[in-house]
Amino acid sequence: MKPKLFTVQVTPVLPKPLEPLEDLAYNLYWDWTPEIAELFARVDPHLWKETGHNPVALLGQVDQKRLEALSSDIGFLAHLGRATEMLQRYLNEPRWFQLEHLDHQSMRIGYFSAEFGLASCLPIYSGGLGILAGDHLKSASDLGVPLVGVGLLYQEGYFRQYLNSDGWQMESYPPNDFYNMPMKLARKEDGSVVRVAVEFPGRHVHAQVWRIDVGRVPLYLLDTNVPENNDVDRAITRALYSGGVELRIQQLMMLGIGGYRALVEMGLEPTVCHMNEGHAGFLGVERARHMMGARHINYELARDLCEDGNLFTTHTPVPAGFDVFSRELVERHMSAYIQSVGMSVQDFMALGRRDRHNDSEPLNMAVVAIRHATLRNGVSKLHGDVSRALVQNGGAWEGWPTEEVPIDHVTNGIHTRTWIAPEMAMLLDRYLGPHWRREPANPKIWEAVERIPAEELWRTHVALRHRLVSFVREHLAWQGSRRAAPERELEEARHALDPEALTIGFARRFATYKRATLLFSDLDRLRKIITNVERPVQFIFSGKAHPADHPAKEFIKLIASKLKDPTFGGAIVFLEDYEISVAAPMISGVDVWLNTPQRPKEASGTSGMKLVPNGGLNLSILDGWWAEGYDPELGWAIGAGENYDGTTDAVEANALYDLLETQVVPLYYDRDQRGVPQRWAKMMKASMRKLAARFSSDRMVMEYATRFYIPTASRFLSNLERDPAASEQIVHWKGRVRGEWKHVAVVEVEAPQDAHARLGESFVVSAKVRLGGLSPDDVDVQLYHGRLDARDELRDCESLSMQHVESSDGVHAYRTDARFKASGRYGYTVRIVPRREDVLIPNELTVIRWA
């Protein structure tokens, strides 16, 4: 029998002068404030490195005699005083949101994400989605946006990677020690730990809530590893992206349902809920369920009130990227919860089906999120286009022109102060002044990059490359010693790479569509590029494949096989266990970042953005963010923006080799008498000047705030203030429109056939329509027109509301004067869409009828 355990948490004893260290340690502001991070390094440089830059673990392990010595060290105490003052000023001074949006200070945004990448000492993230979420929180903090984060706390995080002697990826899952990380259990005013429970069949699953302070933004994470749960339920938050669909649906229940309940339990009920990917889709259901209880209304009315307060961001460019669950699985795990919502399993499944009436469809988490959010967006301009087409095909907006499908876009960005190297930051301080730190999204500030002397910029970058090579050597030696490699191999690792050679990096999540092996398509040609004695080139690879993704593991194995090929002269290395501590020296030290996805499968990508403020250059397929950022003065494009069709690998590999041979390598080695590549440095400055502000997460969060958060909050609060009878009328109207729409038809269109008109002249178009039980006040009959291309497809389309002329025997007549703005060949037709002033069309009601 397992004995009952009693627990006690032991904390370090800080001398009174050092007590402010605890507040500094438990706020991640130190992660993007070098002066505070340097303070912890002063405590014990070796231990700071050994703990993975974890200040809480550092203070818990440092020798008490060292602390006593520091408590009387005048220089250290002065540094501590400055750091404490910096944090307090940062937490309390008005920021952008307080200065620009005084009327919205009471707003609160709940930002829900399955993962958050915040610091190397918090390994609870997988890759780009988590890093983006972490940068979102940091920028929200810097800008003063009233946001709280919500997620899950994974006992084992994502896996730790190592390669065996054959180059095959292996995984290990060391547990996280939350009590020695910069987080604390969230507590109520009475000191008790915040706990929530979610209905599972025959039981409740409990979770305790942890809090991480990300500057001014609190992040709350749910942890099911509590004594109230059985062993199976305690493991729900064991690991990220591990296990099968059973564990997956349980995790998403805890994230969406439990996460929202946690905010309510703490008195932090949000005005706006931001679902960062479909993982959090169940929060839309839970928010409506909560509204049902608070207002004593049915689900449809509650959902209608709440969806105006929800925003859904998709990061997925392919249907296979969305979580889907069978009816059997949903019923097995969610029947108790569905009953608490007051609906049948059939109705619940319909919330996540593209076709509500198709019983063979599984429940799709993206569809659940879409159905519970009035506003939706992709994460780059191209991804917005892809997402509109993705949800249109067979979905709610089938029949609508793709460009009118209501999915907007906000291009991702990176938190500049987190990802810029300290050496480059100091250089910017000298020539841009300190304001770039406060306003990294201000393009005017970055114009001053032009004033940086090319030699000084280049010298700073070279120092960062040298630091990267030192890091690589140390990391390779660590990799070798971990698998008991022979001393000869360890000695080679300690001398790997040439600190002066052109260095190209490729590091990201290994998925087959990212084509990490495209570079190896023609080994002879690659070998000539790498082994040119006068103009050597070297490559650094890093990244993890999902444990179940064997094709991606094969990619890693193929790259690993080249590491031992003597004909490549040791110019290719693979850094194991890719995470923040590996990414940071890479993105600041490489000369070029290589990105070779199958377009348009890269929703955004942010790794290449991180090079920009560090002076690195991008060499990429025109996908994701680079489709917006590319300019020949700023970097290189592989191909001309062709979508991948299964036949372009050889073409794009050839284009990559051509670029390396004829542009990238010659430009890098074109030096003046002082050894400075002037044209290369000019490109570095142009990239920093034109892209750094544009792809900053501060710009991204400001865009979310002004275009989404504030309008969403305003609509939601307006809904709450509306008379309940008026809300019921809206829901009833929507239902009536859906019910009558099968009777809506365009009966006749009267217009000149193959007409000719002079520019500026108009001609009459008339239409007769049937509306069933609807009235002309319920619809907008529109003339839809645009230019005709060579395939008689409409382009650059516009719609014009037609005037209601008369009604007779259920037939309604409309007319308008058609006039076109430019000469050419046009096509036009008539369509009918719903119309009501307080309903967004087609966001909330998706029916449409064409002539």
Side-chain angles (χ1 to χ4, degrees):
M1 183 179 113
K2 187 176 180 180
K4 180 179 180 180
L5 297 179
F6 299 87
T7 63
V8 59
Q9 183 179 355
V10 180
T11 57
V13 179
L14 293 175
K16 191 166 185 61
L18 301 186
E19 287 179 353
L21 280 173
E22 182 173 354
D23 290 336
L24 293 171
Y26 279 98
N27 192 307
L28 292 187
Y29 183 57
W30 56 260
D31 182 64
W32 66 97
T33 308
E35 185 163 358
I36 300 179
E38 290 163 5
L39 176 72
F40 289 114
R42 286 182 67 174
V43 172
D44 186 324
H46 175 74
L47 193 56
W48 177 241
K49 183 178 179 180
E50 284 293 307
T51 59
H53 297 175
N54 179 345
V56 174
L58 170 78
L59 296 179
Q61 296 177 33
V62 69
D63 189 276
Q64 195 68 32
K65 291 180 180 179
R66 175 58 178 164
L67 293 176
E68 294 294 343
L70 289 172
S71 68
S72 58
D73 184 324
I74 296 175
F76 184 85
L77 293 177
H79 191 169
L80 175 59
R82 291 193 303 272
T84 302
E85 182 183 353
M86 288 175 69
L87 176 61
Q88 292 306 312
R89 184 170 63 248
Y90 176 82
L91 294 177
N92 295 299
E93 66 183 355
R95 311 291 287 190
W96 169 80
F97 192 85
Q98 287 72 43
L99 298 173
E100 297 293 327
H101 298 287
L102 285 172
D103 295 339
H104 300 280
Q105 298 304 302
S106 61
M107 180 176 75
R108 180 181 294 115
I109 301 104
Y111 182 84
F112 291 70
S113 181
E115 55 173 303
F116 289 89
L118 294 158
S120 58
C121 66
L122 289 169
I124 55 173
Y125 63 94
S126 161
L129 180 70
I131 297 296
L132 184 279
D135 284 4
H136 194 113
L137 264 57
K138 291 175 182 179
S139 280
S141 173
D142 289 346
L143 295 165
V145 175
L147 183 145
V148 298
V150 182
L152 300 179
L153 185 59
Y154 303 99
Q155 190 71 57
E156 296 175 358
Y158 202 42
F159 69 90
R160 307 309 298 265
Q161 177 200 54
Y162 64 98
L163 304 187
N164 66 18
S165 57
D166 295 325
W168 187 256
Q169 174 183 288
M170 307 295 287
E171 300 90 24
S172 64
Y173 295 86
N176 288 315
D177 181 2
F178 301 145
Y179 292 93
N180 279 307
M181 291 179 168
M183 63 177 72
K184 293 182 177 180
L185 285 165
R187 297 185 182 274
K188 302 178 186 178
E189 290 185 3
D190 63 4
S192 62
V193 174
V194 177
R195 291 176 180 268
V196 295
V198 175
E199 299 90 339
F200 277 54
R203 68 197 190 281
H204 282 77
V205 174
H206 301 266
Q208 61 186 0
V209 181
W210 294 78
R211 173 173 172 151
I212 298 175
D213 286 312
V214 187
R216 301 161 69 113
V217 168
L219 169 61
Y220 297 101
L221 302 173
L222 276 64
D223 169 20
T224 64
N225 187 18
V226 295
E228 295 93 326
N229 293 331
N230 61 42
D231 288 346
V232 173
D233 293 340
R234 292 183 75 150
I236 289 175
T237 55
R238 180 182 62 82
L240 173 62
Y241 303 144
S242 177
V245 291
E246 300 265 357
L247 178 60
R248 190 69 176 149
I249 193 171
Q250 293 173 341
Q251 289 184 337
L252 301 194
M253 289 171 67
M254 297 308 299
L255 173 62
I257 301 167
Y260 188 81
R261 290 181 182 179
L263 292 185
V264 173
E265 178 70 16
M266 293 182 287
L268 300 174
E269 191 172 342
T271 323
V272 176
C273 288
H274 186 170
M275 294 174 273
N276 188 42
E277 195 47 271
H279 308 136
F282 289 141
L283 89 80
V285 182
E286 175 60 19
R287 191 178 193 188
R289 191 198 68 84
H290 180 73
M291 183 69 72
M292 289 169 64
R295 297 213 161 194
H296 307 290
I297 55 179
N298 63 34
Y299 185 81
E300 277 305 311
L301 181 53
R303 184 174 71 86
D304 195 75
L305 287 172
C306 291
E307 68 180 358
D308 279 343
N310 297 334
L311 167 65
F312 169 52
T313 296
T314 173
H315 296 257
T316 306
V318 292
F322 298 126
D323 287 300
V324 294
F325 303 116
S326 68
R327 175 179 176 135
E328 183 273 331
L329 191 70
V330 170
E331 194 163 8
R332 176 150 30 105
H333 290 282
M334 301 192 71
S335 56
Y337 177 74
I338 293 170
Q339 188 175 3
S340 76
V341 181
M343 64 171 63
S344 67
V345 174
Q346 178 70 14
D347 289 340
F348 189 83
M349 290 295 297
L351 294 174
R353 287 172 170 159
R354 295 164 72 93
D355 179 353
R356 292 171 179 265
H357 307 292
N358 184 353
D359 291 346
S360 66
E361 275 194 47
L363 181 134
N364 184 311
M365 290 302 295
V367 176
V368 173
I370 287 171
R371 289 237 166 89
H372 290 83
T374 299
L375 299 182
R376 310 102 180 168
N377 71 281
V379 290
S380 70
K381 185 177 185 299
L382 179 58
H383 182 236
D385 296 338
V386 171
S387 298
R388 283 187 285 276
L390 189 64
V391 304
Q392 178 193 39
N393 295 330
W397 290 280
E398 192 166 28
W400 284 85
T402 304
E403 63 272 14
E404 293 186 62
V405 173
I407 294 183
D408 208 327
H409 81 275
V410 176
T411 302
N412 285 341
I414 58 109
H415 188 252
T416 309
R417 288 179 60 186
T418 291
W419 296 106
I420 193 168
E423 296 88 339
M424 189 61 72
M426 288 189 288
L427 179 66
L428 296 185
D429 284 342
R430 285 200 294 275
Y431 291 94
L432 276 64
H435 296 297
W436 71 269
R437 296 177 182 268
R438 179 75 179 245
E439 300 179 65
N442 187 340
K444 292 182 180 179
I445 292 175
W446 289 92
E447 287 295 326
V449 166
E450 200 59 44
R451 295 201 294 263
I452 302 176
E455 185 174 0
E456 196 166 348
L457 177 62
W458 181 247
R459 190 165 61 241
T460 302
H461 174 68
V462 168
L464 291 173
R465 189 184 335 106
H466 279 241
R467 190 182 70 177
L468 168 62
V469 170
S470 296
F471 171 82
V472 168
R473 291 170 175 175
E474 183 179 348
H475 198 81
L476 291 176
W478 169 77
Q479 292 175 192
S481 61
R482 188 165 61 160
R483 61 173 178 269
E487 181 58 33
R488 175 186 55 78
E489 185 178 327
L490 298 181
E491 188 60 25
E492 289 176 356
R494 297 185 190 106
H495 295 86
L497 301 187
D498 176 356
E500 302 300 331
L502 171 60
T503 304
I504 299 176
F506 181 104
R508 53 189 40 83
R509 176 172 62 89
F510 265 63
T512 52
Y513 80 85
K514 293 178 182 285
R515 294 191 296 182
T517 58
L518 188 71
L519 180 69
F520 301 94
S521 300
D522 185 335
L523 293 179
D524 289 336
R525 197 168 176 186
L526 176 61
R527 193 174 288 108
K528 290 177 182 178
I529 293 171
I530 286 178
T531 57
N532 186 316
V533 177
E534 296 180 355
R535 302 190 306 189
V537 181
Q538 56 197 11
F539 292 88
I540 303 174
F541 284 86
S542 190
K544 298 177 179 180
H546 187 278
D549 189 350
H550 288 272
K553 287 185 174 183
E554 291 287 356
F555 276 22
I556 293 176
K557 184 179 180 182
L558 187 149
I559 293 172
S561 71
K562 308 308 172 199
L563 310 182
K564 301 176 182 179
D565 186 338
T567 63
F568 284 110
I572 302 172
V573 300
F574 185 92
L575 303 182
E576 297 174 11
D577 207 28
Y578 184 57
E579 47 97 24
I580 289 174
S581 64
V582 176
M586 281 191 69
I587 55 98
S588 63
V590 298
D591 301 296
V592 175
W593 198 252
L594 178 63
N595 190 28
T596 52
Q598 297 170 347
R599 176 186 160 115
K601 294 182 180 180
E602 185 87 295
S604 171
T606 58
S607 58
M609 298 178 188
K610 297 178 178 72
L611 261 75
V612 171
N614 287 294
L617 300 176
N618 279 275
L619 168 61
S620 175
I621 298 288
L622 288 171
D623 200 5
W625 80 280
W626 194 234
E628 297 171 53
Y630 169 69
D631 183 285
E633 297 178 356
L634 314 178
W636 299 274
I638 304 170
E642 303 89 352
N643 283 351
Y644 181 79
D645 63 3
T647 64
T648 56
D649 285 345
V651 174
E652 289 174 342
N654 188 62
L656 170 58
Y657 295 136
D658 282 345
L659 285 169
L660 289 171
E661 292 163 343
T662 65
Q663 296 187 40
V664 180
V665 176
L667 190 68
Y668 177 84
Y669 284 104
D670 179 19
R671 308 295 177 92
D672 64 12
Q673 293 179 340
R674 295 171 298 177
V676 177
Q678 289 289 342
R679 291 191 299 146
W680 186 281
K682 181 180 179 181
M683 187 176 279
M684 290 170 66
K685 290 200 282 186
S687 173
M688 296 170 74
R689 193 177 73 249
K690 294 185 178 181
L691 301 180
R694 186 176 170 190
F695 294 102
S696 155
S697 57
D698 277 37
R699 184 273 311 155
M700 175 187 75
V701 172
M702 285 192 286
E703 205 170 331
Y704 273 117
T706 55
R707 292 178 48 209
F708 292 91
Y709 294 160
I710 291 174
T712 297
S714 298
R715 284 180 60 83
F716 177 67
L717 294 174
S718 177
N719 287 355
L720 297 185
E721 295 168 359
R722 191 168 56 208
D723 180 69
S727 296
E728 290 183 18
Q729 287 176 5
I730 292 173
V731 173
H732 175 73
W733 178 83
K734 290 179 181 178
R736 186 166 60 86
V737 169
R738 292 190 189 100
E740 291 290 331
W741 204 255
K742 58 181 174 290
H743 303 300
V744 171
V746 179
V747 177
E748 181 182 323
V749 176
E750 296 180 2
Q753 288 296 316
D754 297 322
H756 290 79
R758 291 186 179 277
L759 186 63
E761 289 182 350
S762 64
F763 59 93
V764 175
V765 178
S766 301
K768 292 180 180 179
V769 304
R770 291 190 182 276
L771 301 177
L774 302 178
S775 77
D777 291 337
D778 295 321
V779 300
D780 188 13
V781 179
Q782 299 174 343
L783 176 70
Y784 183 80
H785 62 87
R787 289 182 177 273
L788 284 173
D789 64 16
R791 295 180 296 175
D792 282 346
E793 297 283 346
L794 290 173
R795 294 286 181 266
D796 304 322
C797 298
E798 298 179 18
S799 58
L800 175 67
S801 295
M802 303 179 73
Q803 295 175 328
H804 179 233
V805 178
E806 61 179 1
S807 301
S808 177
D809 296 327
V811 177
H812 308 273
Y814 287 79
R815 73 180 298 278
T816 191
D817 293 329
R819 180 182 286 108
F820 301 108
K821 298 176 181 177
S823 59
R825 186 166 169 260
Y826 287 81
Y828 57 91
T829 188
V830 173
R831 68 182 189 179
I832 309 171
V833 300
R835 177 179 62 188
R836 185 181 170 109
E837 185 177 350
D838 46 11
V839 176
L840 284 178
I841 307 295
N843 300 56
E844 300 179 61
L845 198 55
T846 64
V847 292
I848 189 170
R849 184 74 72 224
W850 294 89

